[in-house]
């Protein structure tokens, strides 16, 4: 199957951009902004990807306003780049062909919570922490927790996950339905609130992970979960990352229902100690959490303790108080920033491979040896219960030799994961920087099918052009 070739995407001419900006100013007043600082904040600001600002940023408040922006852009074939909180790592929000950034931060209504059905409907600008604040008194929570307090729209669009995914799944498992403004300005509802459905193609999951390339998400129906009766968290040191990974593999294979199981190598523990003052022994460490009843949590912890000892790990230390637990997980969520303490002034590079769980120890250990041989400062942290880990090289971007060394390391990391039947990205998404790996990961036929879909839904290539698939 071949997609008809797209005309090459070009930057609209200045007159077209000026017309679109004038129309947006008329319709949105001071909710259409062209200052350079604001435009730059809406392009990529993290890692080594350059900043490519849009021509204008607009702040709609309703689905109808999003429709108006998209229709205007469609009429002039001007790019549209949806924006949540801008915490994506791979140049997702860059505007390489200019155009209009649609910032959803003024679409923050929690439209409905249905405690009896364990679901809710939210607008895309609500962040994960804002939703959980709202839900807490109802005894409910939304488990997907990327390290940043990202928008739920951005999390849907990147198919995000986090530390709880080993127990609760990723965004792909927790979205029931979406409202989407498609590239021609139509409003599509992808599904209803039923927990399951066999009614036709699964449009919800087509848009989950589409990174703004197929439409703008304007409301989201999410699954919710009851706050567990008992929660306990702890840390467990290991003599090596390999031993820690072996313990994780056995934990998962034995069906122990861990809620969180996260690896930090010794370098990352050092960073966390410097940044969050945890005072942990600087050796590879697993951070764990168990959810259940008082007795089941105790039993799970005991069983994990036994597995840890088999691999030379322990002692397993528990944080029983809620404040201590929160401090531990906040420190875990802050590792990206903590790593900078290892090399102040460096630029941090995000990587995100994921392999089948049985290959985890091998993949992490080979990667560790590669880091050593490369002479890079590159701590490791991972959602290892899913086989997903991040190596975070800290480099001097002004040293071309070091940049080249780091690039070569990242290529080998991805090749290693793909050779182990894994993926170049477990949760961050493709954006601009991982496009080059998709053919090796999916093969030409699957990639062509993605192009066919993109072409059919967005024939003028206005939706976040230059991302996911090269056309
Ligand atoms: C410190 C730190 C830790 C992180 N930890 C994790 C982690 O553990 N797990 C993880 O998965 N990610 C993690 N991330 C990455 C990032 O937080 C996620 O990718 C997140 O889902 C991005 O959400 P956002 O609101 O910032 O989206 P943005 O960066 O604003 O946008 C991301 C993409 O989604 C599209 N988009 C945004 N809103 C919409 C919408 N309404 N409709 C259609 N498309 C839209 C954009 O066009 C873009 O392509 C981390 C990032 C940081 C900085």
């Amino acid at each position: 199957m071949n997609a008809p070739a797209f005309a090459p995407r070009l930057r609209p001419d200045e007159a077209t951009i000026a017309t679109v900006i004038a129309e947006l100013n008329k319709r949105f007043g001071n909710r259409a902004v062209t200052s350079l600082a604001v435009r730059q904040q809406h392009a990529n600001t993290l890692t080594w990807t350059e900043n490519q600002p849009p021509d204008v940023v607009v702040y709609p408040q309703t689905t109808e306003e999003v429709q108006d922006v998209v229709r205007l852009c469609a009429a002039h074939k001007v790019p549209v780049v949806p924006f949540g909180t801008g915490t994506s790592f791979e140049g997702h929000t860059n505007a390489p062909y200019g155009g209009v950034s649609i910032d959803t931060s003024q679409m923050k209504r929690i439209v409905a919570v249905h405690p009896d059905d364990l679901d809710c409907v939210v607008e895309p600008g609500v962040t994960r922490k804002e939703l959980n604040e709202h839900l807490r008194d109802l005894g409910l929570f939304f488990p997907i927790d990327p390290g940043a307090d990202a928008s739920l729209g951005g999390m849907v669009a990147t198919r995000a996950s986090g530390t709880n995914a080993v127990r609760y799944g990723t965004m792909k498992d927790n979205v029931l339905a979406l409202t989407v403004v498609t590239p021609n300005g139509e409003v599509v509802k992808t599904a209803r609130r039923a927990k399951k459905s066999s009614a036709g193609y699964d449009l919800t999951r087509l848009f989950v992970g589409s990174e703004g390339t197929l439409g703008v998400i304007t409301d989201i129906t999410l699954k919710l979960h009851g706050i567990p009766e008992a929660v306990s968290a702890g840390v467990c040191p290991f003599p090596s990352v390999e031993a820690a990974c072996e313990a994780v593999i056995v934990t998962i294979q034995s069906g122990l229902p861990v809620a969180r199981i996260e690896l930090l190598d010794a370098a990352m523990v050092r960073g966390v100690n410097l940044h969050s003052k945890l005072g942990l022994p600087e050796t590879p460490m697993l951070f764990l959490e168990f959810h259940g009843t008082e007795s089941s949590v105790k039993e799970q912890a005991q069983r994990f303790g036994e597995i840890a000892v088999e691999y030379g790990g322990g002692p397993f230390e528990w944080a029983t108080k809620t404040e201590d637990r929160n401090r531990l997980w906040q420190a875990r969520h802050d590792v990206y920033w903590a790593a900078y303490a290892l090399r102040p002034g460096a630029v941090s590079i995000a990587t995100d491979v994921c392999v089948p769980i049985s290959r985890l120890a091998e993949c992490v250990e080979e990667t560790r040896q590669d880091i050593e041989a490369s002479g890079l400062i590159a701590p490791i942290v991972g959602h290892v219960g899913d086989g997903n880990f991040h190596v975070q090289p800290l480099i001097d971007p002004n040293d071309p030799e070091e940049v080249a060394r780091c690039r070569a390391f990242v290529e080998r990391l991805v090749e290693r994961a793909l050779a182990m039947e894994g993926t170049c990205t477990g949760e961050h998404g493709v954006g601009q920087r991982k496009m080059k790996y998709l053919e090796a990961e999916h093969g030409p036929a699957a990639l062509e099918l993605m192009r066919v879909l993109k072409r059919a839904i967005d024939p003028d290539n206005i939706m976040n052009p230059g991302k996911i698939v090269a056309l």
Side-chain angles (χ1 to χ4, degrees), residues 13-23:
D13 59 49
E14 293 306 317
T16 305
I17 291 292
T19 304
V20 167
I21 292 175
E23 286 295 319

Side-chain angles (χ1 to χ4, degrees), residues 253-299:
Q253 288 173 343
S254 65
L256 204 66
V258 276
R260 292 165 147 169
I261 185 162
E262 299 278 311
L263 171 75
L264 280 71
D265 75 349
M268 195 58 101
V269 174
R270 197 172 319 124
V272 166
N273 280 344
L274 289 168
H275 182 83
S276 303
K277 315 276 176 284
L278 283 194
L280 293 170
E282 291 178 5
T283 182
M285 194 68 78
L286 289 180
F287 284 26
L288 291 110
E289 190 164 281
F290 297 108
H291 295 176
T293 59
E294 293 293 347
S295 62
S296 75
V297 157
K298 218 183 252 169
E299 229 171 77

Side-chain angles (χ1 to χ4, degrees), residues 82 84-89 92 146-147 150-151 155 157-158 161 211 217 427 464:
T85 59
T87 63
S88 47
F89 280 126
H92 292 71
S151 74
M155 288 168 60
T158 55
S161 58
E211 300 185 4
I217 297 157
E427 57 181 18
N464 207 1

Side-chain angles (χ1 to χ4, degrees), residues 46 81-89 92-93 102 104 124 145-163 210-213 215-218 332-333 336-337 383 390 427-428 464 467:
L46 298 166
V81 185
F83 185 92
T85 59
T87 63
S88 47
F89 280 126
H92 292 71
T93 59
I102 296 190
T104 58
D145 63 336
D149 187 20
S151 74
L152 290 158
M155 288 168 60
V156 174
T158 55
R159 208 185 296 133
S161 58
T163 64
S210 63
E211 300 185 4
T213 63
V216 186
I217 297 157
T218 60
R332 163 60 192 91
H333 278 133
Y336 178 77
W337 309 113
H383 311 301
H390 310 299
E427 57 181 18
H428 293 165
N464 207 1
K467 316 292 164 63

